[in-house]
Amino acid sequence: SQELEQSPQSLIVQEGKNLTINCTSSKTLYGLYWYKQKYGEGLIFLMMLQKGGEEKSHEKITAKLDEKKQQSSLHITASQPSHAGIYLCGADDAGTALIFGKGTTLSVSS
Amino acid sequence: DVKVTQSSRYLVKRTGEKVFLECVQDMDHENMFWYRQDPGLGLRLIYFSYDVKMKEKGDIPEGYSVSREKKERFSLILESASTNQTSMYLCASWGLAGEQYFGPGTRLTVT
């Protein structure tokens, strides 16, 4: 079965710094989703990537899917305290449901 | 805006009680899902449904059942709650464009 590995598990960055979170799949990705979660709350949909080489941006967050469609990265530019939370990647598991990585916890210090 | 709502944000139940967690979506989505989220284990799929009265087991269905009598509503049932079912429960619905939207979650504690 497909597995998603996220790295790093946790990250502490100073406000204003850039950062990258990676998501690697054991199989080809047919749909890759990025979510953000505040502690104790639901998941907020950020972006969905489907094509090899695809890149999407929303405000200061950019997500990319590599050409081989086995790795995705989430890049935050000039981090702010509002970016703090848990970032999860999810993959379309043969059109049935999503499977998820274990998440990356981001803390932003001011 | 897609809206997925869950009946309770926090719930405390006793061992052996029957527990109902309800989820409602307002976007006419066919597919709905129930996950649980635990520290170190991430999100795990319990059950999902592609249509009214239709259900499929996910990765961890034991101890749970579901009901989908109307398209917009997907209920998760714990027939006899146990302490190992203490968890965060998340409902989601899946739009035609592929995006999956989540509810705010229900933090269930079974004592």
Side-chain angles (χ1 to χ4, degrees):
Chain A
S1 62
Q2 189 169 33
E3 289 184 0
L4 293 178
E5 194 160 320
Q6 282 186 242
S7 62
Q9 277 189 324
S10 62
L11 196 52
I12 302 172
V13 299
Q14 206 167 12
E15 185 176 355
K17 297 293 186 186
N18 302 336
L19 64 107
T20 299
I21 297 168
N22 293 303
C23 177
T24 303
S25 171
S26 56
K27 296 182 180 179
T28 300
L29 293 160
Y30 291 101
L32 190 284
Y33 301 73
W34 283 102
Y35 290 87
K36 180 186 173 186
Q37 185 181 30
K38 290 282 191 185
Y39 180 75
E41 297 182 9
L43 278 64
I44 299 167
F45 174 75
L46 295 175
M47 277 170 277
M48 177 179 70
L49 304 165
Q50 291 180 301
K51 299 175 186 173
E54 188 174 6
E55 181 175 317
K56 287 188 178 177
S57 292
H58 175 67
E59 297 178 346
K60 293 186 178 180
I61 301 176
T62 300
K64 298 179 188 179
L65 183 61
D66 74 338
E67 290 288 347
K68 291 185 178 179
K69 294 171 64 175
Q70 283 194 284
Q71 187 164 10
S72 178
S73 60
L74 186 84
H75 184 78
I76 298 177
T77 304
S79 58
Q80 300 168 357
S82 60
H83 288 128
I86 302 168
Y87 289 83
L88 294 119
C89 63
D92 184 343
D93 188 16
T96 54
L98 293 187
I99 59 164
F100 289 89
K102 294 207 165 76
T104 296
T105 301
L106 171 63
S107 303
V108 179
S109 61
S110 50
Chain B
D1 262 4
V2 175
K3 206 165 188 182
V4 180
T5 56
Q6 294 184 228
S7 49
S8 306
R9 289 299 304 273
Y10 301 94
L11 211 50
V12 180
K13 294 291 181 182
R14 293 196 181 274
T15 303
E17 277 193 80
K18 191 167 186 176
V19 181
F20 292 87
L21 303 181
E22 297 214 316
C23 174
V24 178
Q25 51 94 3
D26 66 357
M27 283 300 292
D28 202 36
H29 288 167
E30 302 283 348
N31 304 338
M32 296 186 73
F33 307 83
W34 275 106
Y35 296 88
R36 64 178 280 178
Q37 185 179 29
D38 301 286
L41 296 175
L43 274 90
R44 293 178 291 167
L45 181 66
I46 306 171
Y47 266 98
F48 59 102
S49 169
Y50 285 147
D51 203 350
V52 175
K53 296 197 186 291
M54 179 271 177
K55 60 187 178 186
E56 292 283 346
K57 291 180 181 178
D59 299 320
I60 51 162
E62 297 79 19
Y64 303 94
S65 62
V66 290
S67 171
R68 188 135 182 232
E69 295 295 320
K70 293 185 177 181
K71 193 175 185 180
E72 66 270 18
R73 190 180 297 269
F74 191 34
S75 301
L76 181 70
I77 303 155
L78 287 67
E79 295 290 342
S80 177
S82 63
T83 53
N84 64 13
Q85 292 178 309
T86 291
S87 186
M88 175 71 144
Y89 289 88
L90 292 158
C91 173
S93 71
W94 204 341
L96 287 174
E99 71 283 11
Q100 194 169 94
Y101 293 97
F102 282 79
T106 295
R107 186 164 292 281
L108 171 68
T109 302
V110 182
T111 60

